Amino acid sequence: MKTFFTFGIHGNTGPSNANNNLYCNWPADGEVRLLAPKGKVQKLISAILGGLWCDVVVSSGPGRCVEIATKIAKLRGGVSVGYCHGYLPFENKINDLGLSEAEEKAFLTWLDSCDAIATNSIFQAEFIRTHRPGLANRVFATYLGLDNFEHCSRA
């Protein structure tokens, strides 16, 4: 299976570390590519090529490149997986992030558009199922993306 990641794996944030861990421990029998890390034009080209190449687009939030890669992949029969690190409307409220209603709506639209939603815990999966009941059959826990499978170290 050809998988295209549209998120960053660099940096020292919780999501970046989880993304990096997922990427570095991807199953050995699967091909995986990343969105170009820098430059608007490079990212756009990378999103187009990634969408044309892959069977699955994995994203961790909304964005123009995510939208482009996903639309292209779905036109070719591909699927989209949302790797959900949190539930933005809730985090915005409890952490006083100051995000706009439009940003929250973009997150919810992205979440609703995913064919499957991977979370990093059973608690988070249940939280999303409670707040978005229409997604209940698409949400599953991955325990930070790790399962018992033979992996290919990409570190």
Side-chain angles (χ1 to χ4, degrees), residues 4-76:
F4 183 57
F5 288 156
T6 61
F7 47 64
I9 63 168
H10 304 291
N12 193 25
T13 66
S16 293
N17 291 334
N19 293 345
N20 187 41
N21 199 22
L22 182 65
Y23 172 75
C24 290
N25 293 288
W26 198 252
D29 61 349
E31 294 180 67
V32 62
R33 292 186 185 169
L34 293 167
L35 182 70
K38 295 183 181 177
K40 288 182 182 182
V41 173
Q42 290 88 342
K43 284 184 176 186
L44 177 61
I45 292 169
S46 178
I48 293 167
L49 295 175
L52 289 168
W53 170 81
C54 72
D55 302 308
V56 179
V57 174
V58 181
S59 58
S60 60
R64 191 71 180 134
C65 289
V66 170
E67 188 178 330
I68 289 168
T70 301
K71 282 185 179 180
I72 292 170
K74 285 189 175 192
L75 284 172
R76 299 180 44 258

Side-chain angles (χ1 to χ4, degrees), residues 3-146:
T3 305
F4 183 57
F5 288 156
T6 61
F7 47 64
I9 63 168
H10 304 291
N12 193 25
T13 66
S16 293
N17 291 334
N19 293 345
N20 187 41
N21 199 22
L22 182 65
Y23 172 75
C24 290
N25 293 288
W26 198 252
D29 61 349
E31 294 180 67
V32 62
R33 292 186 185 169
L34 293 167
L35 182 70
K38 295 183 181 177
K40 288 182 182 182
V41 173
Q42 290 88 342
K43 284 184 176 186
L44 177 61
I45 292 169
S46 178
I48 293 167
L49 295 175
L52 289 168
W53 170 81
C54 72
D55 302 308
V56 179
V57 174
V58 181
S59 58
S60 60
R64 191 71 180 134
C65 289
V66 170
E67 188 178 330
I68 289 168
T70 301
K71 282 185 179 180
I72 292 170
K74 285 189 175 192
L75 284 172
R76 299 180 44 258
V79 297
S80 65
V81 176
Y83 189 45
C84 196
H85 296 285
Y87 189 75
L88 189 82
F90 179 70
E91 292 186 21
N92 190 32
K93 182 178 179 180
I94 66 166
N95 295 320
D96 196 25
L97 300 176
L99 300 175
S100 69
E101 192 173 308
E103 289 169 299
E104 286 187 14
K105 184 176 180 192
F107 173 83
L108 295 173
T109 299
W110 163 77
L111 198 63
D112 291 344
S113 74
C114 295
D115 296 309
I117 301 158
T119 67
N120 58 18
S121 71
I122 292 172
F123 172 79
Q124 186 178 3
E126 287 303 318
F127 189 89
I128 292 172
R129 287 182 189 119
T130 300
H131 286 82
R132 303 297 279 187
L135 303 177
N137 64 341
R138 292 188 263 163
V139 180
F140 60 95
T142 62
Y143 306 102
L144 296 175
L146 298 178

